Structures are given as C-alpha cells and as structure tokens.
Amino acid sequence: MDPITLTIGLLGIVFGTVTLVLRFINPEKLGKLEAMKKIFGEKAGNIVHLVSYSLVPIAFGLVLIFDSFPKQ
C-alpha cells in the first residue's frame, strides 16, 4: 500500500465533501461560487462549481485510494 497516494486521495475526498456540505450549510463562505454564478448565471454557475470543486475532487480521491492498494 502506498501511504502517500492514500493520503492524497483521502484529502481529495475530504475537500470535495467539505465544499459539498458548505454549499448547503453556508454558501457565503464559498467565494468562487458567487463569482461563478455572476459569470455563468445562477444555474450554470452552481453546476460548474459543484462539478469542479466537489465531484471531481471526490472522484480523484477515490481513484487514488483504489490505486494505492497493491494489485494482485
């Protein structure tokens, strides 16, 4: 098992999860969210922010976690 890859994967999942939770609890803390809403509009800005700051880091983290375990 590669501990560095595992750690980076866990950090990616934590970052994505925190931004996902903050979207619902306190979206004012997400400065980029408001900027993306101004640039892309309300709906598209939400989608772009969700994908780039929540879904991609979570997916990246999962890939790294699976990659950190030895192959048989």
Side-chain angles (χ1 to χ4, degrees):
M1 176 169 43
D2 184 13
I4 294 174
T5 305
L6 181 64
T7 303
I8 294 171
L10 289 172
L11 288 173
I13 290 175
V14 168
F15 176 79
T17 304
V18 167
T19 58
L20 188 63
V21 170
L22 276 177
R23 295 177 67 75
F24 299 106
I25 294 175
N26 196 358
E28 297 83 32
K29 293 222 179 218
L30 300 172
K32 300 277 186 178
L33 176 60
E34 291 304 317
M36 288 185 178
K37 284 181 182 179
K38 287 180 184 174
I39 293 171
F40 297 112
E42 185 77 22
K43 186 174 181 179
N46 269 321
I47 291 171
V48 170
H49 189 273
L50 175 69
V51 170
S52 60
Y53 284 94
S54 295
L55 299 182
V56 169
I58 291 171
F60 180 70
L62 288 172
V63 168
L64 287 182
I65 287 172
F66 287 124
D67 192 46
S68 70
F69 291 104
K71 311 299 180 272
Q72 291 184 358

